[in-house]
Amino acid sequence: IKPAELVKGLGAAGAMAMVVGHIIGTGVFLVPSSMARATESVGLIFLVWVVGGLLSLMGALTVAELGAAMPEAGGPYVYLTRGLGPRWGFLFGWMNNLVGKPASISTIAAGFLIFLSYFFPGVRTPVFTLDIPVPFAERTYEFVFTWAQPLAAAAIAFVTFINYLGVRLAGRLQVALTIVKISAILAVVALGFLLGKGTGGSGGPLFPHTFELSLLAGFLTAMVGALWAYDGWIDLTFAGSEIQQPQKNIPRAVVGGTIIVGVIYLLANAVYFHTLPIEAVKQTANVASETVRAFAGENAAAWITAAMVISAFTTLNSSILTGARVPYAMARDGLFFKVADGVHPKYHTPARALVFQGVMAGVMVLTGQFEDLFSLFIFAQWIFYALTV
């Protein structure tokens, strides 16, 4: 009996939705606050978005070529193995499977619960707090456990189950939800400029008049948030063997999707700072909801927050779909735990790899907060993004 294989279930629309829907997740709504605290400058925040977008576009142009040349499950695992040698593919795969992708999925799930807490504030109520000593440092890490963490783990389990049932189902869901999220963001931009009173900004110069070392440190700190917000341009290549006409659809989706997202991000931030002063941006976790509340009231803010819940759910779906292909490809090659090997005979999905990935991400989301998780992800993953490029 011939073993089950992955199927080419993602067409042009599904591939584009995977890229755009994956990149636009939680970051553009949540990280402007930490960026404002780090830079203290509206001009520097926009510069961070531009530089982060250009870095991501350079990466996207490169992986578009690699994905079209080698449309196989695993993405960078395949490229690094072929280009730099098996040890680099091996190192990427183990980092991605145990740290990078679980951190990414758990960060998205944590952001999903931040949005959901707008409607149910009790989910972020602390259940208990622990002060954990940090080795070799004269400080402690405050671990706060809330109801949001087990709920985020449940969201990961639910989306993993959807992907377990087939790539076509997950792809159709991705297209529909991506349309909803882009429409919501563009509505905020249009209404913000029409109804907003233009009282935003810092009340001071766009850029600082003098350069200090602290400005560079703040710029680089803010860049971590931008790179998290842009992350996802590479993930479609993880599922390269399941994309129809990959030589055409991978480059179009990866490069076109990254450019579309960059434009949307700049428009969104323009309306944030058109509406809110930088001090208000610093103090609010969910900048988009606060922006809508400022120009349209509480009810409108609730609607846009509901759209953000959908946005985070969409990104969670694409991240889980693409991420499972790396442990599957490595286990198939005998380089990872055998538990992640195999394709489901009925659904033609890497079922065991999906379950393995879901367990890893579920454990991680129980142990960290949003900003801790995205910092961990960016540090681990971008080393290998650079090697791939």
Side-chain angles (χ1 to χ4, degrees):
I1 299 173
K2 185 180 179 180
E5 296 179 351
L6 300 176
V7 296
K8 292 186 180 295
L10 290 174
M16 180 66 80
M18 280 292 163
V19 176
V20 176
H22 185 106
I23 299 177
I24 304 176
T26 59
V28 69
F29 308 122
L30 301 180
V31 301
S33 178
S34 62
M35 286 180 172
R37 292 193 297 271
T39 63
E40 303 276 349
S41 164
V42 174
L44 285 179
I45 290 171
F46 276 92
L47 186 61
V48 167
W49 283 114
V50 170
V51 173
L54 289 174
L55 282 172
S56 299
L57 181 59
M58 291 174 191
L61 287 164
T62 306
V63 301
E65 294 287 348
L66 292 169
M70 293 173 275
E72 303 172 30
Y77 160 66
V78 176
Y79 314 149
L80 289 168
T81 299
R82 291 276 297 276
L84 299 182
R87 73 180 61 182
W88 293 104
F90 178 85
L91 287 172
F92 165 78
W94 277 82
M95 179 285 303
N96 180 81
N97 300 343
L98 298 183
V99 180
K101 184 51 71 170
S104 174
I105 293 170
S106 57
T107 305
I108 296 162
F112 173 74
L113 263 296
I114 289 174
F115 297 147
L116 205 59
S117 67
Y118 181 93
F119 303 102
F120 307 102
V123 302
R124 300 192 72 191
T125 301
V127 179
F128 63 84
T129 302
L130 293 176
D131 290 325
I132 304 171
V134 179
F136 310 108
E138 296 181 358
R139 63 185 183 88
T140 59
Y141 171 73
E142 185 181 51
F143 171 70
V144 181
F145 187 88
T146 69
W147 291 115
Q149 282 142 294
L151 288 172
I156 291 169
F158 176 66
V159 179
T160 297
F161 176 69
I162 292 174
N163 280 272
Y164 189 97
L165 297 179
V167 68
R168 288 191 177 91
L169 173 63
R172 287 194 290 268
L173 178 66
Q174 189 74 12
V175 172
L177 295 183
T178 298
I179 291 171
V180 171
K181 81 159 74 175
I182 292 176
S183 300
I185 295 171
L186 293 179
V188 170
V189 170
L191 293 174
F193 284 119
L194 284 172
L195 302 178
K197 298 179 181 179
T199 57
S202 61
L206 191 62
F207 290 96
H209 291 307
T210 58
F211 174 80
E212 298 177 4
L213 197 59
S214 60
L215 287 177
L216 178 61
F219 182 87
L220 294 176
T221 300
M223 184 63 70
V224 173
L227 293 179
W228 161 250
Y230 278 112
D231 184 71
W233 47 266
I234 199 171
D235 284 50
L236 180 67
T237 64
F238 291 10
S241 62
E242 294 161 276
I243 299 169
Q244 299 166 6
Q245 296 183 290
Q247 283 73 25
K248 291 182 179 180
N249 288 332
I250 289 178
R252 289 174 182 173
V254 171
V255 178
T258 303
I259 293 172
I260 289 169
V261 170
V263 172
I264 290 173
Y265 280 5
L266 290 175
L267 288 173
N269 278 268
V271 82
Y272 295 161
F273 290 101
H274 173 75
T275 306
L276 299 174
I278 192 169
E279 291 302 322
V281 173
K282 283 194 232 175
Q283 294 167 12
T284 180
N286 189 339
V287 179
S289 292
E290 190 61 35
T291 299
V292 175
R293 184 187 290 109
F295 69 73
E298 193 71 33
N299 289 337
W303 279 104
I304 191 60
T305 306
M308 291 176 209
V309 172
I310 294 172
S311 175
F313 187 87
T314 312
T315 304
L316 190 61
N317 177 60
S318 60
S319 187
I320 287 172
L321 185 152
T322 56
R325 274 60 185 172
V326 180
Y328 156 74
M330 291 192 69
R332 176 199 60 199
D333 296 343
L335 297 175
F336 197 64
F337 300 124
K338 200 68 177 173
V339 70
D341 191 14
V343 174
H344 196 284
K346 180 180 178 181
Y347 302 121
H348 296 277
T349 55
R352 293 179 177 179
L354 280 163
V355 173
F356 173 85
Q357 175 184 260
V359 170
M360 291 297 300
V363 170
M364 195 169 284
V365 82
L366 290 172
T367 59
Q369 303 294 314
F370 178 78
E371 291 190 9
D372 301 327
L373 291 166
F374 83 63
S375 298
L376 171 65
F377 168 79
I378 290 298
F379 177 78
Q381 203 83 347
W382 267 78
I383 295 170
F384 289 94
Y385 286 179
L387 285 172
T388 301
V389 170

